[in-house]
Amino acid sequence: GLPSVKGLVLLDGAAQMSGRQHDIVRPSLGRLRKTYESKRAYVDELRQLYKRLGIKWTDAVQEIVEYEIHGTGNGWMHKSANENIEDDFTSFDFFNPIEVMGKVACDTLLIQADGGIGQFPPFFTDADYEETKKHTSKLTTFNSDCNHYTMVFEKQTDILAAIRDFLDEVISDE
C-alpha cells in the first residue's frame, strides 16, 4: 500500500457483484439514453424511481434532478455520457476483492448499508462482502439501517459519527 494513505472509507462498496444489483440499477440506467418531451416528464419519472428506491423527495433532490437534464433540439436528455456510466457499472462485475483488498494495508472502514431498497434486499448482502471482509487486513465494519441510495441522498448522522470516530482514530495513531 501507499505509505501516505492513512485510512480508507468504503461507502457500501468493494463487494462482489452477485448479479442481483443489475436488477436494481437497470431502471436507473435506462433513463440515461432516453429522450423526454419535457423537463417535467423527466422529473416525474425520477420521482417515481426514487420513491421505489426509498429516497425521500426533497427540494435538494428536485434541484439535483433538474440539474442533470438539459434541453436538446428534439427533447430533454440526461447530460451524462451514458456509455461511460454503463461501462463503469459493467466494470464492477470484474472487481476481485481477494486481489484488490489484499493490497490495502491501511486502516479501512466499511460502511455497510443493510436497508432494503424498495422491494429489493440490500444492494450488497453479507455474502457479497464475504471475500472483502476476509481479505482486508485492518477492517472495521459499521452497519447502518439506511439503504445504498438513502446513504447518499439523506443525512445519515450515525454514518457521519462513525466516519468521524474512524478518522480521529487514524489521525491519533500517527
Side-chain angles (χ1 to χ4, degrees):
L2 297 171
S4 62
V5 177
K6 304 286 184 223
L8 171 65
V9 177
L10 301 170
L11 294 174
D12 206 38
Q16 190 84 57
M17 293 284 275
S18 60
R20 219 177 19 77
Q21 293 86 1
H22 291 272
D23 297 333
I24 298 169
V25 173
R26 199 169 289 116
S28 188
L29 290 178
R31 80 184 198 282
L32 300 178
R33 61 176 99 83
K34 237 169 112 176
T35 302
Y36 295 82
E37 63 190 37
S38 65
K39 184 188 273 193
R40 178 181 217 137
Y42 179 77
V43 170
D44 289 346
E45 183 173 310
L46 265 284
R47 189 189 297 259
Q48 291 309 306
L49 173 66
Y50 284 10
K51 187 178 179 182
R52 287 194 302 276
L53 298 175
I55 299 166
K56 282 190 204 94
W57 193 264
T58 62
D59 289 345
V61 172
Q62 171 106 15
E63 199 176 313
I64 291 164
V65 167
E66 288 182 3
Y67 172 79
E68 67 189 20
I69 191 166
H70 66 128
T72 66
N74 54 354
W76 290 79
M77 293 188 76
H78 197 277
K79 289 177 183 174
S80 67
N82 66 63
E83 311 80 33
N84 296 359
I85 291 175
E86 290 177 22
D87 288 349
D88 185 44
F89 182 66
T90 304
S91 76
F92 294 174
D93 291 325
F94 304 106
F95 174 72
N96 182 338
I98 299 168
E99 187 184 299
V100 175
M101 300 316 292
K103 295 176 184 167
V104 176
C106 63
D107 290 317
T108 302
L109 173 64
L110 167 63
I111 308 284
Q112 188 173 331
D114 292 334
I117 301 172
Q119 82 267 26
F120 295 105
F123 197 74
F124 292 121
T125 62
D126 285 328
D128 300 324
Y129 277 118
E130 195 173 319
E131 296 298 331
T132 301
K133 289 178 178 179
K134 197 186 300 177
H135 296 278
T136 308
S137 62
K138 299 178 190 170
L139 181 69
T140 303
T141 302
F142 178 83
N143 295 74
S144 175
D145 292 336
C146 69
N147 76 35
H148 188 77
Y149 294 95
T150 58
M151 175 183 281
V152 174
F153 279 99
E154 297 169 17
K155 185 176 182 178
Q156 302 295 337
T157 52
D158 59 336
I159 291 174
L160 293 173
I163 292 171
R164 249 183 243 110
D165 291 348
F166 172 76
L167 294 176
D168 286 346
E169 189 80 22
V170 167
I171 292 164
S172 71
D173 285 350
E174 287 183 1

